[in-house]
Amino acid sequence: MGWESGIQLKVLVTDKVDEKLLNRLRSMGMVIDYKPGIQRDELLKLIDGYHILVVRSRTKVDREVIDRGTSLKIIARAGVGLDNIDVEYALKRGLVIINSPNAATYSAAELTLTLMLMLARNVHLHIFDVKNGKWSKGTYEGVELRGKTLGIVGFGRIGRAVARYAEALGMRVLATDIIDVSRYANELGVKLVSLSELLELSDVITLHVALTKDTYHMVNDDRLRLIKDGAMIVNTSRGEVIDTRALLNHLDRLWGVGLDVLEHEPPREDWEFKLIQHPKVIVTPHIGAETVEAQGRIVEELVANIQDALERVRNHG
Ligand code: NAD
């Protein structure tokens, strides 16, 4: 497993990343093969011989990919979620996994607020009508977020950033988490409650958990039944956290739903298209981290973490 520092590192990048990341890695003396959108078959054929694999959320890095990459030392995820990587197996194989967990926090939180505010005022419906020549004033009455209760599921980096923004809007904020987040809750004046209480009490529910075995379809039909009529749901975490087919059955009694993530991206099932077409639903195409600032930070954070990982691999490899 040893790694001499003279070796020229070969990097395979299989998703679209900022050009600056490629240039920074080149300036560190690495050879980069940039193949955004590469299909799985080609990836399996190609992966052997590369030392570093850089992905975003599209590329599935499972056991087969890891096994074929006999020279692989580092898997770098340009972004936060590691749900597309078999982390447990990669670690067992002695690989180092890095990501850029802080880079997109504020971009994802701002998009969450955008979806909440758009839903509250039916902005999506007005935009659609006005663009199609209909002056929709008087058609869709909105609501204020001020004075409403926001329930944050997953009080991590993004959940806490959303709490800060919600406070500025005059919302009462509840949160739930599986780890002890009481220090942050006290700091931010947020009340911690159980998931059931949160679903029952909130006017707006926003999801900020990572996708794991436990959070897959966490918002299922039973939990959707707890949510009050006229509430909003916003999800900028991972599509699979909500059972989308169950959600369809609740749309009539909800105020609206804002989603940046779907169970399949791009969507492919009839029930996903039904959801997207529904007037109460706003869908954006997974753009939570797509800002100039977040992409810039991803480059900086990832490069620093790759440098760190290289040190570790060289010292202990
Ligand atoms: P984080 O790890 O800081 O926070 C996640 C929180 O969820 C943690 O506090 C964790 O304890 C909690 N949690 C886990 N399982 C839970 C459960 N069953 N019930 C309640 N809480 C639970 O992560 P973050 O930086 O806040 O990001 C959250 C997620 O947002 C990421 O995992 C990623 O999937 C997603 N994300 C999406 C975009 C986008 O483009 N839309 C951008 C960035 C992040």
Side-chain angles (χ1 to χ4, degrees), residues 56 77 79-83 101-102 104-105 107-108 111 152-160 176-181 195 207-212 214-215 218 235-238 260-261 286-290:
R56 281 179 67 182
R77 158 76 165 101
V80 191
L82 295 173
D83 42 281
N102 300 297
T105 300
S107 292
L111 181 69
I152 301 176
V153 181
F155 205 49
R157 286 173 292 255
I158 300 171
R160 296 197 294 270
T176 192
D177 204 297
I178 45 164
I179 58 167
D180 179 13
V181 288
L195 177 58
L207 307 173
H208 299 290
V209 293
L211 177 63
T212 63
D214 297 328
T215 61
M218 167 187 203
N235 185 15
T236 60
S237 65
R238 283 290 180 269
D260 184 45
V261 285
H286 204 145
I287 56 165
E290 292 202 355

Side-chain angles (χ1 to χ4, degrees), residues 107-119 145 150 161-167 169 171 206 208 234 236:
S107 292
E110 286 185 17
L111 181 69
T112 306
L113 261 286
T114 306
L115 293 173
M116 282 164 51
L117 287 161
M118 283 184 76
L119 284 173
L145 292 181
L150 173 68
V162 170
R164 287 192 191 95
Y165 295 149
E167 201 215 340
L169 289 176
M171 300 184 84
T206 183
H208 299 290
V234 173
T236 60

Side-chain angles (χ1 to χ4, degrees), residues 10-19 21-23 25-26 30-38 43 46-47 50 52-56 58-59 72 76 78 302 306:
K10 284 185 72 188
V11 183
L12 179 62
V13 183
T14 60
D15 289 320
K16 191 172 179 302
V17 297
D18 198 304
E19 192 69 25
L21 177 62
L22 306 176
N23 291 336
L25 296 178
R26 280 190 194 107
M30 300 181 189
V31 180
I32 315 290
D33 277 328
Y34 186 39
K35 297 193 178 295
I38 185 178
L43 170 64
L46 232 140
I47 182 87
Y50 288 96
I52 301 177
L53 175 64
V54 179
V55 301
R56 281 179 67 182
R58 188 197 65 95
T59 305
L72 263 189
L302 210 65
I306 287 176

Side-chain angles (χ1 to χ4, degrees), residues 92-133:
K92 212 164 17 172
R93 284 275 321 272
L95 302 190
V96 178
I97 296 183
I98 54 175
N99 61 348
S100 48
N102 300 297
T105 300
Y106 291 100
S107 292
E110 286 185 17
L111 181 69
T112 306
L113 261 286
T114 306
L115 293 173
M116 282 164 51
L117 287 161
M118 283 184 76
L119 284 173
R121 302 303 295 273
N122 293 308
V123 173
H124 56 302
L125 298 177
H126 286 296
I127 290 174
F128 184 82
D129 281 357
V130 172
K131 277 193 188 290
N132 285 291

